[in-house]
Amino acid sequence: QVHVVESGGGLVQGGGSLRLSCAASGRTFTSYTMGWFRQPPGKEREFVATIRWSGGLAAYADSVKGRFTISRDNAKNTVYLQMNSLRPEDTAVYYCAVSSSLGKRYDYWGQGTQVTVSS
């Protein structure tokens, strides 16, 4: 059984930084893709960033490029989302997800962690 657990959310002032962590367990993830998504209040869930366990190829939504960085620690089976220059519009529940199909579909999801950015 695959488990995905996010942590690191919280309240931060605009311009500040947070680092989210996503710990995955239950299998070997070297051929998988990990993604971060977010759901702002009253809106649909949206893509934020993705990274492949093998090779580390990453991609970002335009809204976060240059401010957010996704990385992974293979030894710890953990993916990180470093978020800098945060804006009030980054306020959302952030979800980590696991894909076995190079990001075409995400099979396993965490419970989410709240990020609130004050103005």
Side-chain angles (χ1 to χ4, degrees), residues 50-114:
T50 186
I51 190 167
R52 293 187 188 176
W53 275 114
S54 179
L57 183 66
Y60 299 90
D62 288 343
S63 58
V64 306
K65 272 181 189 173
R67 300 188 299 123
F68 290 12
T69 302
I70 189 170
S71 62
R72 84 262 189 252
D73 184 331
N74 289 1
K76 295 182 180 179
N77 268 7
T78 299
V79 173
Y80 304 98
L81 186 68
Q82 177 67 44
M83 306 186 294
N84 298 329
S85 302
L86 282 162
R87 304 166 180 166
E89 53 264 39
D90 294 317
T91 294
V93 178
Y94 282 72
Y95 297 92
C96 180
V98 180
S99 171
S100 59
S101 56
L102 298 177
K104 292 187 181 70
R105 185 188 70 187
Y106 284 82
D107 308 290
Y108 307 99
W109 293 81
Q111 81 289 349
T113 186
Q114 176 70 46

Side-chain angles (χ1 to χ4, degrees), residues 26-69:
R27 63 186 57 180
T28 302
F29 294 99
T30 50
S31 62
Y32 284 58
T33 296
M34 304 294 290
W36 283 100
F37 295 78
R38 66 187 182 187
Q39 187 164 17
K43 296 185 179 180
E44 299 281 319
R45 188 165 58 194
E46 61 187 26
F47 165 77
V48 175
T50 186
I51 190 167
R52 293 187 188 176
W53 275 114
S54 179
L57 183 66
Y60 299 90
D62 288 343
S63 58
V64 306
K65 272 181 189 173
R67 300 188 299 123
F68 290 12
T69 302

